[in-house]
Amino acid sequence: MRSKLNQCNKIVIVGAGFIGVELSDELKKTGKEIILIEKLPHILGLCFDEEISIKAEQVLTENGVILKTGTGVKELSGEKKVNKVLLEDGEVIDTDAVVLSMGYEPNTELANESGISTSKQGCIKVDEYMRTESPDIFAVGDCAQKHDFITRKACCTMLASTACAEARIAGINLFKLSAIKTFSGTISIFSTMIGDTAFGVAGVTETQAKKEGFDIITGVFEGIDKHPGTLAGAKKQLVKLIVGKESNVILGGEVIGGSSVGELTNIIGIIIQNRMNINSILTSQIGTHPLLTASPAGYPLLKAASNAASKTIFNHIS
Amino acid sequence: MRSKLNQCNKIVIVGAGFIGVELSDELKKTGKEIILIEKLPHILGLCFDEEISIKAEQVLTENGVILKTGTGVKELSGEKKVNKVLLEDGEVIDTDAVVLSMGYEPNTELANESGISTSKQGCIKVDEYMRTESPDIFAVGDCAQKHDFITRKACCTMLASTACAEARIAGINLFKLSAIKTFSGTISIFSTMIGDTAFGVAGVTETQAKKEGFDIITGVFEGIDKHPGTLAGAKKQLVKLIVGKESNVILGGEVIGGSSVGELTNIIGIIIQNRMNINSILTSQIGTHPLLTASPAGYPLLKAASNAASKTIFNHIS
């Protein structure tokens, strides 16, 4: 694929999930003309809240990628190879190549042939030990059924890190089951990088939480990922927390920043999986260092929790 | 201080805690001859286990700093200004300047004058709301008494991030106390950077845990902080966990790596403060990204937990 794309000057990429966005960014770095098509109103639209997606769009377009959002692809055409893309809005784009990054489905062929049950969503049914309905057979990874840690509903998170977490559970239960080593539900947790700006999410977004019926508040803070912010390589760092209004428990978080975003997202993941609430975050200790983190007085995760706390205290007024 | 040191070619720094080590590293970058003196056998000897300190020494000496460990300073001499350092081992070092980075003591003058009690260690006595014995007066920061989260004993952790954590507690209890917003004990949590290698620690080290009488096991894993490891800027990442042998609860962790070490250390901090055990780590999900984290199959924090788990399972044999 890489050697074929090297010979192209103009490439259309269809689908602006992580794969489409990262591929656009990487191919743009090689100097090609890149057009990214997304049917949803915004790129990464299933992953992040709108305002975070818009920031990702800004970085991507500043780097030179051309975005066409809110329109799908109606037809790919050409002789011998595709060289035209007809969009749903009527626009026709000439191109040297088209890359489809439009998602994937679980491969359950082997399970189906073996008589192992699959779910309505087409995933292999598993319990919290990752056992299929056939007790000597375990299933993990993209083919295995998932239940969301927060919504407690079936979900379709397909991530290498999720697959590895499930594999750990299966591994430690292979020879004998252990009731303290079960899988308590899938959390969406991932990060991506566009140019030198990283974006991360753990748990549910504000949009997802509201859609599921959670009564929530949010807390947001933007700071700098080193201190003082004048240090070389310092990047803005934004943290948004999604918090249950009654429980004050953290349901999700989104992050924008520099190279520390991957592990910062993992902090939020651990917070969610421990069902920590705003108070337990505000009374926690974090470590800071000028070159490695935000300042202790302006650490965005704590400040976002503090911002959410201010809404809780006054929510009887609003 | 900076303008004076700029005029010096050779500088002796006394005390190889964080301040002395970071100052040595920064001054070395400006091309000066730097000699760092430490009375303990290793630099950062109170912060890290010996093998981590030795790695820090390797980075520092590769960067050109001259180390003299295991010997203290007997005498500083000179006319008008210091220009000779006599070490306890008899060596005499000529120098253009000496920087003392030998620690600090709480300033409790105001408290003493006000009749507010101080502890045996010379810190202002405070309760878990950060109140002094005078109920309308709160104390936070380096001057305030601390209790270690793990050892439950008085400790002298003096960090900006600890001060800010205490300030949050004091702030939210200033007008009325809240029983769910108390300080549950100080954890040592900090990171440092020498050249482009970062070192972090949270909770107790193996040395400290054994000294306090904890029966512990450790788990260690070294991986790479991006994946694949051939990516530009990838650094080795080492995680060492200190784990209670009976409880399997995480008591501490040490980290070596690149720019993600600050937040990775904070993950371990949150793990400790939630009293997570090996199982709860192994059944947790983390997010990964090629440019931002280790690989999902070789994530050092999980692998270190796994390494510790293997020792637990077989500890009836050993």
Side-chain angles (χ1 to χ4, degrees):
Chain A
M1 181 172 168
R2 184 201 272 180
S3 67
K4 287 209 172 179
L5 291 179
N6 269 344
Q7 297 157 31
C8 302
N9 293 315
K10 186 172 174 183
I11 302 165
V12 170
I13 295 172
V14 182
F18 282 109
I19 303 295
V21 168
E22 293 188 1
L23 193 63
S24 298
D25 185 48
E26 289 298 328
L27 286 171
K28 185 66 216 175
K29 288 177 190 167
T30 68
K32 301 186 185 303
E33 184 178 349
I34 305 294
I35 301 170
L36 176 60
I37 317 285
E38 170 56 51
K39 208 177 162 79
L40 293 174
H42 295 287
I43 69 167
L44 304 171
L46 294 176
C47 311
F48 291 106
D49 285 321
E50 191 180 40
E51 74 275 20
I52 310 287
S53 286
I54 288 172
K55 297 218 178 192
E57 287 173 353
Q58 285 167 355
V59 179
L60 203 57
T61 52
E62 276 164 19
N63 291 354
V65 172
I66 298 161
L67 293 185
K68 297 196 181 292
T69 54
T71 184
V73 170
K74 195 166 178 184
E75 194 177 286
L76 302 178
S77 59
E79 288 185 19
K80 289 186 183 166
K81 65 183 274 301
V82 170
N83 58 23
K84 268 194 202 321
V85 180
L86 170 61
L87 302 186
E88 287 173 350
D89 65 8
E91 186 179 349
V92 177
I93 305 170
D94 293 318
T95 185
D96 300 325
V98 175
V99 179
L100 303 179
S101 51
M102 299 158 58
Y104 26 79
E105 292 195 337
N107 179 349
T108 54
E109 201 180 316
L110 183 62
N112 291 334
E113 283 170 8
S114 311
I116 292 173
S117 301
T118 52
S119 70
K120 218 166 45 176
Q121 291 83 14
C123 306
I124 300 170
K125 287 187 183 172
V126 290
D127 63 17
E128 295 189 7
Y129 301 95
M130 306 312 296
R131 282 183 306 185
T132 68
E133 288 185 356
S134 175
D136 289 336
I137 300 174
F138 290 67
V140 302
D142 292 355
C143 68
Q145 187 184 31
K146 285 150 207 357
H147 277 89
D148 190 275
F149 183 85
I150 302 288
T151 69
R152 312 313 291 174
K153 285 164 64 173
C155 66
C156 291
T157 307
M158 294 188 188
L159 294 166
S161 58
T162 303
C164 287
E166 294 172 353
R168 286 194 298 277
I169 306 289
I172 53 189
N173 285 291
L174 265 185
F175 298 105
K176 51 184 181 187
L177 300 187
S178 171
I180 53 170
K181 294 173 182 173
T182 57
F183 199 58
S184 48
T186 303
I187 68 162
S188 291
I189 178 164
F190 38 74
S191 47
T192 186
M193 200 157 198
I194 308 172
D196 61 354
T197 304
F199 297 77
V201 61
V204 293
T205 61
E206 180 179 1
T207 313
Q208 290 159 359
K210 286 182 173 165
K211 194 176 150 202
E212 291 293 329
F214 288 97
D215 190 12
I216 56 153
I217 51 177
T218 61
V220 184
F221 187 83
E222 188 177 70
I224 309 272
D225 70 354
K226 300 185 198 294
H227 61 283
T230 48
L231 281 171
K235 294 271 297 175
K236 282 185 187 173
Q237 185 183 83
L238 180 141
V239 173
K240 173 178 178 175
L241 293 176
I242 291 84
V243 185
K245 198 171 191 172
E246 182 199 34
S247 63
N248 283 355
V249 165
I250 310 302
L251 307 177
E254 290 159 274
V255 182
I256 308 177
S259 63
S260 60
V261 156
E263 301 304 358
L264 182 54
T265 301
N266 283 333
I267 297 177
I268 299 174
I270 295 290
I271 284 172
I272 294 168
Q273 291 171 90
N274 279 288
R275 302 189 192 280
M276 287 176 78
N277 60 28
I278 295 177
N279 285 335
S280 53
I281 292 180
L282 288 177
T283 58
S284 284
Q285 292 154 80
I286 49 96
T288 58
H289 186 273
L291 296 170
L292 300 170
T293 70
S295 94
Y299 189 76
L301 174 59
L302 292 169
K303 290 299 229 180
S306 183
N307 178 241
S310 69
K311 297 178 188 173
T312 306
I313 291 163
F314 298 111
N315 77 27
H316 60 281
I317 299 168
S318 64
Chain B
M1 180 171 167
R2 185 201 274 180
S3 68
K4 288 211 173 178
L5 291 178
N6 268 343
Q7 297 158 27
C8 303
N9 293 317
K10 186 173 174 184
I11 302 165
V12 170
I13 296 172
V14 182
F18 282 110
I19 304 294
V21 168
E22 293 188 2
L23 193 64
S24 298
D25 186 47
E26 291 298 329
L27 287 172
K28 186 65 217 175
K29 288 177 191 167
T30 67
K32 301 183 186 306
E33 184 178 348
I34 305 294
I35 301 169
L36 177 59
I37 317 286
E38 170 57 50
K39 206 175 163 80
L40 292 173
H42 295 288
I43 70 166
L44 303 171
L46 294 176
C47 310
F48 291 106
D49 285 321
E50 190 180 41
E51 74 275 21
I52 310 286
S53 287
I54 288 171
K55 297 217 178 193
E57 287 173 353
Q58 285 166 355
V59 179
L60 202 58
T61 51
E62 276 164 18
N63 291 354
V65 172
I66 298 162
L67 293 184
K68 297 197 180 290
T69 55
T71 183
V73 170
K74 196 165 178 182
E75 191 178 286
L76 303 178
S77 57
E79 289 184 18
K80 289 185 183 167
K81 65 183 274 300
V82 169
N83 58 21
K84 271 198 201 315
V85 179
L86 170 62
L87 301 186
E88 286 175 351
D89 65 6
E91 187 179 349
V92 176
I93 305 170
D94 293 317
T95 186
D96 299 325
V98 175
V99 178
L100 302 180
S101 52
M102 298 157 58
Y104 25 80
E105 291 196 337
N107 178 349
T108 53
E109 200 180 317
L110 182 62
N112 291 335
E113 284 170 8
S114 312
I116 292 173
S117 300
T118 52
S119 71
K120 217 166 45 175
Q121 290 83 15
C123 307
I124 301 171
K125 286 189 184 173
V126 290
D127 63 18
E128 294 190 7
Y129 301 96
M130 305 312 297
R131 283 183 306 186
T132 67
E133 288 186 356
S134 175
D136 289 335
I137 299 175
F138 290 66
V140 302
D142 292 356
C143 67
Q145 186 183 32
K146 287 155 205 353
H147 276 91
D148 191 276
F149 182 85
I150 301 290
T151 69
R152 312 313 290 174
K153 284 163 63 172
C155 67
C156 292
T157 308
M158 294 188 189
L159 294 165
S161 58
T162 302
C164 286
E166 294 171 352
R168 286 194 299 278
I169 307 289
I172 53 188
N173 286 292
L174 265 185
F175 298 105
K176 51 184 182 189
L177 300 187
S178 171
I180 55 171
K181 294 174 181 170
T182 57
F183 199 59
S184 48
T186 303
I187 68 164
S188 291
I189 178 164
F190 38 73
S191 47
T192 187
M193 200 155 196
I194 308 172
D196 61 355
T197 305
F199 298 77
V201 60
V204 293
T205 61
E206 181 180 2
T207 313
Q208 290 158 359
K210 286 182 172 165
K211 194 176 149 199
E212 290 293 328
F214 288 97
D215 190 13
I216 57 154
I217 51 176
T218 61
V220 185
F221 187 83
E222 187 177 70
I224 310 273
D225 70 352
K226 300 185 199 293
H227 59 284
T230 47
L231 282 172
K235 294 270 298 175
K236 282 186 187 173
Q237 185 183 83
L238 180 141
V239 174
K240 173 177 179 177
L241 293 176
I242 291 85
V243 185
K245 198 169 190 173
E246 181 199 35
S247 63
N248 282 355
V249 165
I250 310 303
L251 306 177
E254 288 159 276
V255 181
I256 307 177
S259 62
S260 60
V261 156
E263 301 303 359
L264 182 54
T265 302
N266 283 332
I267 297 177
I268 298 174
I270 294 290
I271 284 172
I272 295 167
Q273 291 171 89
N274 279 287
R275 300 188 191 281
M276 286 176 78
N277 61 27
I278 296 177
N279 285 335
S280 53
I281 293 180
L282 288 176
T283 59
S284 285
Q285 293 154 79
I286 50 95
T288 57
H289 186 274
L291 296 170
L292 300 170
T293 70
S295 95
Y299 188 76
L301 173 59
L302 292 168
K303 290 299 231 182
S306 183
N307 178 241
S310 70
K311 296 177 189 174
T312 305
I313 291 164
F314 297 111
N315 76 28
H316 60 281
I317 299 168
S318 64

